[in-house]
Each structure stands twice: as C-alpha cells, then as structure tokens.
Amino acid sequence: TLFFHNCPYDRLYHDMAQWRGEPTEDVFREVDATWSLVWVGDAWMAPYELTYQGGAIDRSRATRRTGMQWLAEFRRRVPNSVWLNPEPSRRWGAESIALVRSVFPMFELTLDGLAEAVDVLRGTKPNQPDVRHVVG
C-alpha cells in the first residue's frame, strides 16, 4: 500500500503523514503488466493539479510531468487497474473526477462497486475508462 495526496507525482509514501516515501520512478521499475492496481480516492482536486506541469498542490512536489501524465504512465505499465471512489457516483461531476475516469475505470467504494471492480480485474468485464464526461 502506498499513499499520495490528490495525485501520484514524483514520490509515493509508505505512511499517511507522507514522511517515508520513495520515488515513483522506483515504483515504476517494480510494476509491470502482471500486476493489478487498485486506486482508492475521491479524485476530487483542482483540475490544474492534473493538467499543468508543476500543478501539484504542494510546490515541493511540483514536477515536469502533469498529474495526467503520471496516471497515464501507471495505466500503461499496469493496464489491469481500477479506481475505487468513496464519493457516490451522483457526485462525480467534478472535472478532475472526469479526467481520472478517462484513464481508469472508476467504481463506487461500495460492495456493489467493489464487485464490479473485481470483475474487471478478473477479466470478466471490459477494462475501459469512461471518456464520455471529459471536459474539452
């Protein structure tokens, strides 16, 4: 289990306080297409955190890659990935949530949502992100 605030930028953390971390590039060297990846988070943030270079909310985490580029790289390396969102889907109208949904299939963090996500990870349902709601 690794932690991040809003988006996985250049470091991922072993603790919620984000004191003990490791470079995301090191994590990239460990994972591949044989892995399954489950993200858990509300995906609710300022859209610039996903779309602008250096858009991280914490300037010390500002990188040349956009948040979307970090997410896309995880998806490329671990295609068998899903996102569990604790917010009910009726609240998924935020631009940032639509952007994350364009990279990962997203499910509610409920028993039904978890069952759907597991079906995707097992390969019994398509592993497709939802690009219908991305703001142009």
Side-chain angles (χ1 to χ4, degrees):
T1 302
L2 296 171
F3 299 91
F4 57 91
H5 179 78
N6 285 352
C7 191
Y9 300 109
D10 63 336
R11 291 188 70 76
L12 295 169
Y13 297 89
H14 297 278
D15 62 319
M16 292 268 307
Q18 299 181 9
W19 290 106
R20 294 182 306 110
E22 65 183 282
T24 304
E25 292 293 339
D26 290 353
V27 175
F28 284 160
R29 283 189 276 284
E30 292 178 32
V31 300
D32 60 31
T34 65
W35 285 60
S36 293
L37 180 57
V38 177
W39 300 88
V40 180
D42 62 16
W44 210 322
M45 66 198 87
Y48 71 82
E49 292 185 60
L50 293 169
T51 58
Y52 289 88
Q53 287 182 352
I57 195 167
D58 181 347
R59 284 209 177 281
S60 69
R61 296 187 182 130
T63 67
R64 296 185 109 141
R65 289 186 189 178
T66 66
M68 289 297 286
Q69 288 170 322
W70 286 108
L71 293 174
E73 183 63 15
F74 271 104
R75 177 73 172 175
R76 186 184 74 74
R77 290 175 183 267
V78 187
N80 200 33
S81 301
V82 297
W83 192 289
L84 297 175
N85 192 326
E87 293 290 335
S89 60
R90 70 179 181 278
R91 298 188 66 199
W92 291 0
E95 183 178 353
S96 63
I97 295 173
L99 288 166
V100 171
R101 288 176 69 193
S102 75
V103 179
F104 299 103
M106 186 176 286
F107 304 93
E108 287 186 1
L109 185 54
T110 62
L111 291 177
D112 288 341
L114 187 56
E116 289 180 67
V118 168
D119 285 346
V120 167
L121 294 173
R122 289 181 32 226
T124 59
K125 288 192 175 179
N127 189 337
Q128 297 295 318
D130 184 353
V131 297
R132 296 174 296 167
H133 305 286
V134 177
V135 178

